Amino acid sequence: MMRRLAAGNWKMHGTAESLDEVRALASTFPSPKCDILICPPATLLSRMAETAAGTAIAVGAQDCHTSPTGAHTGDISAEMIADAGGAYVIVGHSERRSDHGESNAEIRAKAMAAKSAGLAAIICVGETLQEREDGRTIEIVRGQLGGSIPDGTTGQNTVVAYEPVWAIGTGKVPTLAEIAEVHDDIRKEMIARFGTAAQEIRLLYGGSVKPSNAHEIFGVPNVDGALVGGASLKADDFGMIVAELERA
Ligand code: PEP
């Protein structure tokens, strides 16, 4: 049976002292009813994996290169993430798509690299405010899904995160009906492409999830967890979100 997932994306935040947040989270949730993941910056990955070893907290990265090794200054590969103790990697986050001009094809190649290294890829999709106002949300998300998600996708190797770009870090959240519409469409797209086994692909909502709105968001059909940015940095806040997911 599918286990829901609470995933924290620390972005470019966190130093050695932040590992205390992981220790606190691990002691609050010794055997949680959902999966818990933290994706710290690459500099903390192996230390966090050591800190989290033997606990219920999984660790992942925020991006990977498409190749296993090579002359790519500043990049890290999926193999290196696995070697550092990571189990997941986020690919196609909107900040990567916009800051680094990543295309759907590149994101698909990254997801394939993750699969080859034995990592689960969290593939992010989502529309801009302009695209939503133009009534193009479903079209944009379908295009990103079709272009970014590789063949051979299963619930074991892939998680899909719907993150409206305009909701990330802004405090703005779509209505529950809007989240439901997109998640329903993503589920249908996944089933059309991968068959009924796609029921097992976890669909996360991301964009200003907080302790105060987690309960209602987790009640939306086809929301199997959350990708959380700002509210994942502190164990107290993220713990409240995890607790809501456990109850959902
Ligand atoms: C994110 O960056 O994936 C995200 C959802 O950020 P926030 O929760 O801060 O909106």
Side-chain angles (χ1 to χ4, degrees):
M1 199 177 127
M2 178 206 283
R3 272 172 70 84
R4 294 175 175 218
L5 173 64
N9 172 13
W10 279 16
K11 310 193 185 190
M12 201 170 71
H13 299 287
T15 51
E17 65 182 359
S18 321
L19 296 172
D20 283 344
E21 303 299 328
V22 176
R23 292 185 189 99
L25 204 58
S27 71
T28 308
F29 298 98
S31 49
K33 296 192 195 72
C34 60
D35 290 343
I36 305 174
L37 167 69
I38 304 282
C39 298
T43 48
L44 275 185
L45 191 59
S46 73
R47 276 178 290 174
M48 189 178 288
E50 283 164 16
T51 302
T55 77
I57 314 296
V59 173
Q62 300 172 12
D63 180 48
C64 67
H65 198 272
T66 55
S67 298
T69 56
H72 304 292
T73 303
D75 283 318
I76 58 171
S77 71
E79 278 75 5
M80 291 168 176
I81 294 164
D83 180 58
Y88 292 78
V89 59
I90 299 169
V91 296
H93 190 282
S94 69
E95 288 153 14
R96 298 290 314 177
R97 290 180 186 260
S98 63
D99 295 358
H100 300 269
E102 292 188 6
S103 66
N104 285 330
E106 189 175 1
I107 293 158
R108 185 175 66 241
K110 289 182 178 202
M112 288 164 65
K115 183 168 165 243
S116 301
L119 303 178
I122 301 180
I123 303 176
C124 302
V125 297
E127 82 288 358
T128 64
L129 186 57
Q130 188 63 56
E131 288 162 347
R132 175 161 283 276
E133 286 174 353
D134 290 346
R136 299 178 59 218
T137 297
I138 295 293
E139 170 202 333
I140 294 295
V141 170
R142 282 185 187 172
Q144 291 172 335
L145 292 172
S148 312
I149 297 193
D151 292 340
T153 284
T154 67
Q156 280 64 53
N157 61 32
T158 303
V159 175
V160 176
Y162 168 56
E163 299 205 305
V165 177
W166 53 273
I168 294 175
T170 60
K172 295 181 188 153
V173 179
T175 66
L176 300 182
E178 286 168 340
I179 297 173
E181 181 195 16
V182 179
H183 278 244
D184 176 69
D185 200 71
I186 294 173
R187 179 72 73 206
K188 285 183 178 141
E189 288 287 300
M190 293 298 94
I191 289 172
R193 186 160 165 204
F194 300 110
T196 52
Q199 297 280 14
E200 297 298 311
I201 298 173
R202 291 176 288 187
L203 309 185
L204 309 185
Y205 168 77
S208 297
V209 175
K210 302 181 286 270
S212 57
N213 62 17
H215 175 75
E216 58 182 20
I217 291 171
F218 294 149
V220 174
N222 287 306
V223 172
D224 306 313
L227 181 55
V228 184
S232 70
L233 293 170
K234 291 287 167 206
D236 284 353
D237 288 341
F238 195 46
M240 284 189 262
I241 293 170
V242 171
E244 289 295 352
L245 190 58
E246 283 192 308
R247 280 193 282 271

